[in-house]
Structures are given as C-alpha cells and as structure tokens.
Amino acid sequence: MIDHTGIVVSDFAKSKAFYLNALAPIGYVLIMELPASVTGHTDVAGFGELPKPDFWLSRGTPNQPPIHVAFRARSRAEVDAFHKAALAAGGTDNGAPGLRPHYHPNYYGAFVLDPDGHNIEAVCHDAES
C-alpha cells in the first residue's frame, strides 16, 4: 500500500493553485505546507483528505519524463468535476471524462496535464449509479 507520493514542479505557487482547484472536487485539500527552512532543501505542500496528506508537491526541476498520478474518485460525477476544475485552473486536456473499457468495463476516467506536463487523472471504478 502506498503511504504517499509526490512530484517536483517548476513554479511552486502556480502548481499549488492548480492542485488546490483541480483536486477539490474529489475531496482533496491542502493539509500541510513546509518551507525550505524546515525541510532543509525545498518548499513542499501536502494534499489529501483530512487528516493526512498523501500527495506532495516539491519546488525544483520537474521530473523528466513527466509522471502519471491517478486519484480515486467516489463517483463519475466527481471525475467530471475534476476535469472541469482542472481545465479552469490552467490544465491541458489529455483525455475527456469517459469510459475506458479496455482497462475494465467500469473504468471511468479523465486526464489533464498539469503546468509541468504531469499526466493527472481522476478515476472511478464503480458502475454508474
């Protein structure tokens, strides 16, 4: 089981704002932020569902190649809302919300590229209710 993961971003403030907006529809919030003076190397921001962050942004040279991160959504409506919010926050469409039956019959996902080109996905594995 993965406890937490993270990506490196070039413009910390821009990416933090992007993720604040893009992840809100799936219930993620900014939980913790630590400056370089505390971490000893760079600024970081932790997002997740309260009380614990599980997705971290770090200021620096972005990962190359860009990383793919998929966030689990509780419903297809949350996937749709994530996609809309991510585009409004400056993301680039990388796959509109919809079924991806080549993964499995109920795989409903949406993909956006964040400001550094990381492929960010929201996915719901449940049948439409």
Side-chain angles (χ1 to χ4, degrees):
M1 186 172 280
I2 296 172
D3 182 72
H4 61 275
T5 191
I7 61 173
V8 180
V9 298
S10 61
D11 185 328
F12 188 70
K14 182 177 183 179
S15 290
K16 188 171 66 170
F18 170 80
Y19 283 100
L20 272 169
N21 291 296
L23 299 180
I26 63 166
Y28 265 52
V29 295
L30 177 63
I31 296 174
M32 185 180 294
E33 193 167 358
L34 301 169
S37 61
V38 172
T39 67
H41 67 286
T42 191
D43 297 331
V44 299
F47 295 82
E49 293 179 309
L50 291 169
K52 183 191 165 308
D54 58 22
F55 177 68
W56 290 87
L57 302 181
S58 299
R59 180 191 309 268
T61 303
N63 309 88
Q64 286 300 321
I67 291 176
H68 172 71
V69 179
F71 292 91
R72 189 172 297 149
R74 289 174 284 269
S75 68
R76 293 179 181 189
E78 279 191 3
V79 173
D80 295 343
F82 154 81
H83 189 258
K84 182 177 179 181
L87 294 179
T92 303
D93 179 43
N94 198 34
L99 287 169
R100 305 307 196 274
H102 51 283
Y103 296 137
H104 69 70
N106 291 317
Y107 195 108
Y108 188 90
F111 303 81
V112 296
L113 300 179
D114 81 353
D116 287 299
H118 298 297
N119 186 25
I120 309 303
E121 175 184 4
V123 59
C124 177
H125 297 281
D126 299 331
E128 189 168 25
S129 53

